[in-house]
Amino acid sequence: MELINQFVLAGAALLLLAILASALSYRTGMPLLLVFLAVGMLAGEDGPGGIVFNDAGIAYSIGSVALAVILLGGGLNTRAESFRAGLRPAAGLATLGVLITCVVTGLFAAWILDLGLLQGMLIGAVVSSTDAAAVFALLHAKGLTLKQRVSATLEIESGSNDPMAVILTLVLLDLIAAGQGLPGWDTLGLFALQMGLGLVAGIGGGHLLVWLTHRLRMESGMYPMLILAGGLTLYGLTTVLGGSGYLAIYLAGVVIGNQAPRESGNILQVHGGLSWLAQIGMFLMLGLLATPSRLLDDAPAALAIALVLMFVARPLAVWLCLLPFRFPPREQLFIAWVGLRGAVPIILALFPLLAGVPEAHTVLDVAFFVVLISLTLQGWSIPYLARWLRLEVPPAPAPDARFDLGEGRHHAFLGYRLTPQAQMIDRPASALHLPGEARLVAVLRGEAALTPEAAGRLAAGDTLYVLARQADTAALGELLATPAAPDYLEKRLFYGDFTVDGSADMASVAELYGLPLPEGAAQMSLADFLAARLNGVPVAGDRYRLGNLEFVVREVEGQRITRIGLRIPTHLQ
Amino acid sequence: MNLISALLKPENVLADLEAGSRKRLFEEAGRLLQASYAVPANEVFESLQSREKLGSTALGYGIAIPHGRIKGLKDTACAFIRLKQPIDFDAPDGMPVDLVFVLLAPAAATDLHLQILGELAQMFSEKAMRDQLRAAPDAATLHRLICEWTA
């Protein structure tokens, strides 16, 4: 009894410490997951905490459940819209890309550690997938909005490449156990079963859960739990049947997130919190599991493996897999660098330990080292690299509060708090011109909620509550929200002052602005011209310079560029 | 000093014009520029209309900078108009427009045309400048404010 109470105290105190330490990340830019890992290591056997935790079985169970929860949360936040630009490149990266990374890193590891080919490959396989938790944490970090083609590709890749790494690890363990030399045809069958089952269970199960939320009447707090329990059941069932549970739960999340079931706002919010809890728990535990003093023995070789992974294997895999999609070089460079390794390599490194492979400890140490180096070096530098490569786009001005009305999310009730810079200040609340059918319903001023008629002139600090159609939210944001973006992402500087529609004909635009008309462009619309000149699927933020003017894609609907910004580079330095 | 001050004639600054629509506004601009630049009013109208068809020239914040290019023009022609009643301009933020700067370039205009457009956009992006323009008592004050503006 006494012992259990002490466990609870230690666990809770660690959790609290990790959460408090996360504030550090905002101050120093230190990647959050690294903070959690560091807290765990400090509490562990070589740190002041002195907690000895070496149970691979428990670590594996907690780790895999936590990862499943993170993938579910990631799936819930993946908009189907991002599949447009990211699905096909991500699919290549998540399968072939993982294989290439595994082989290149594995060959090098076998050579430098003087291991057998299979054992070297095992190290390669363990570190071959990028980490969903790390990538999601990075891409959804406040203040970083990347071009959609890049963020969608990375997000979908990291959510769906773990199954491939799991499969590779399992296959190699089988081969090592059987004393075989090379993978045979049955490997392909195993692969197909893992992927196929994961795919079917994920999509089918996701729809089933959406149907259930619509069908059942429960306490509102139960809906997020239904999704959690249902998702984990899917994960467990798929894994037991021999499929990839990780793929299943990620896809279930994607289906649920895009079907907008009952209570979807509530579900998203609760799962956002659960994802954080899972990430903290997992990285704390992995920090505890590490034995930093032992890591030093293999450090030189492990460092070399980490460098080969980051600078050779991953860039090669990215370059080969993205060849058919014509990604601009700077975007390829960025995707190659965001090969963040996180919890998965460490969890996978526990497999050989549980299977009793003689080299298991080396594998675990190397995996730990690779993760540490990757989180430190890559995690820390990514925001700066994104800025340097000009891959950021201005964030969409978002309301401070949002309540979706009804099931189809066609209408919403939006709250905007006016900053001193807001252009609406001093205007009479009852005579605002709001876009489309948007209507001002109430003004919250201090303690009082006023009708527009009673509110008089608007002042800084007022919160405006507006009832609007989904279609009008973008214009409403432009009007009422004050963008929190840094100066270089200010919309006027980023997209230029003027806009034209995608349907504008190239000949008129060129004549109007005195631009050289490229051959064959006379009959084209500006949208078609840009689509032909730009690489890959067009996304907001893509640029093309013609004469003294730069065209910047501003909005894309479906596959078509609908609005284009005109930027005068010589004017806006 | 700015690029615009050399171009904007005092008689082409109007305060509190009444124009119920974009079309009416462009007709007024045509009449105004015909008088001082000897360019047919209907050409001004057509040129501005055809640019608007490519996409609205409203910038948001109640500002619009309709512009175009006319073959027969010798110099850059421009006018600044403050409307008595804001009119719908299909702006990105949905706000009706009350401050309008019309700019027409000759056929052989160079990069300068783009520079002027950029400078205008920058000038109107300042909230203080917009507030001053809206509060100015007459056309002469408007003219002075624009000509004295510096980045």
Side-chain angles (χ1 to χ4, degrees), chain A residues 345-368:
Chain A
I346 303 177
I347 292 172
L348 290 183
L350 296 172
F351 284 25
L353 209 61
L354 294 170
V357 174
E359 296 83 0
H361 275 288
T362 313
V363 177
L364 185 60
D365 290 349
V366 171
F368 247 119

Side-chain angles (χ1 to χ4, degrees), chain A residues 249-558:
Chain A
I249 196 167
Y250 173 70
L251 287 177
V254 174
V255 170
I256 296 164
N258 286 290
Q259 299 266 320
R262 194 205 300 271
E263 297 278 338
S264 56
N266 180 13
I267 290 172
L268 274 181
Q269 200 169 15
V270 171
H271 277 269
L274 283 174
S275 289
W276 277 119
L277 185 65
Q279 290 182 28
I280 295 172
M282 176 155 69
F283 278 84
L284 269 180
M285 185 197 68
L286 296 176
L288 280 176
L289 188 68
T291 314
S293 57
R294 211 185 55 214
L295 286 183
L296 291 176
D297 300 341
D298 287 320
L303 180 66
I305 293 171
L307 293 179
V308 166
L309 173 66
M310 284 190 285
F311 291 102
V312 183
R314 168 82 180 167
L316 183 71
V318 168
W319 179 67
L320 282 173
C321 292
L322 293 184
L323 266 184
F325 303 105
R326 299 192 303 156
F327 274 46
R330 56 177 68 224
E331 294 182 13
Q332 292 191 28
L333 188 66
F334 186 76
I335 292 172
W337 191 241
V338 190
L340 281 169
R341 313 292 137 166
V344 181
I346 303 177
I347 292 172
L348 290 183
L350 296 172
F351 284 25
L353 209 61
L354 294 170
V357 174
E359 296 83 0
H361 275 288
T362 313
V363 177
L364 185 60
D365 290 349
V366 171
F368 247 119
F369 210 89
V370 167
V371 170
L372 267 182
I373 298 280
S374 165
L375 279 183
T376 314
L377 221 62
Q378 295 178 316
W380 220 310
S381 57
I382 280 163
Y384 305 101
L385 187 70
R387 181 175 176 184
W388 184 62
L389 291 174
R390 298 214 303 170
L391 295 179
E392 288 177 274
V393 291
D400 298 293
R402 182 189 178 108
F403 310 94
D404 287 307
L405 305 180
E407 311 232 322
R409 294 199 221 171
H410 297 302
H411 290 79
F413 195 47
L414 306 159
Y416 294 91
R417 193 179 159 81
L418 297 183
T419 60
Q421 295 82 40
Q423 46 168 325
M424 283 298 139
I425 301 243
D426 282 341
R427 294 192 181 229
S430 54
L432 290 185
H433 287 273
L434 295 179
E437 291 168 19
R439 273 197 309 273
L440 179 61
V441 179
V443 177
L444 198 66
R445 182 175 295 153
E447 302 274 286
L450 308 165
T451 61
E453 290 72 27
R457 290 185 181 274
L458 294 170
D462 286 356
T463 306
L464 308 190
Y465 284 93
V466 180
L467 182 65
R469 285 183 314 165
Q470 184 61 39
D472 295 327
T473 50
L476 208 54
E478 295 289 336
L479 187 68
L480 296 178
T482 308
D487 285 347
Y488 64 94
L489 282 180
E490 210 241 314
K491 282 209 168 136
R492 204 172 69 78
L493 292 178
F494 188 87
Y495 290 118
D497 298 306
F498 295 94
T499 44
V500 287
D501 299 336
S503 56
D505 65 301
M506 229 5 235
S508 313
V509 173
E511 198 212 308
L512 184 60
Y513 294 104
L515 308 175
L517 189 63
E519 208 170 315
Q523 317 299 327
M524 294 170 111
S525 70
L526 183 52
D528 290 340
F529 172 77
L530 286 177
R533 293 300 160 112
L534 292 169
N535 290 311
V537 182
V539 294
D542 279 341
R543 298 159 180 276
Y544 184 79
R545 179 151 181 182
L546 187 65
N548 286 322
L549 207 61
E550 192 172 44
F551 296 112
V552 189
V553 176
R554 227 183 140 128
E555 278 171 27
V556 180
E557 273 171 32

Side-chain angles (χ1 to χ4, degrees), chain B residues 120-131:
Chain B
L120 283 169
Q122 194 180 351
M123 175 193 298
F124 292 124
S125 74
E126 291 175 9
K127 185 173 191 303
M129 182 67 179
R130 294 195 301 268
D131 290 345

Side-chain angles (χ1 to χ4, degrees), chain A residues 192-211:
Chain A
L193 183 69
Q194 287 260 353
M195 286 290 185
L197 213 54
L199 207 74
V200 173
I203 295 176
H207 281 288
L208 191 68
L209 283 173
V210 171
W211 179 77

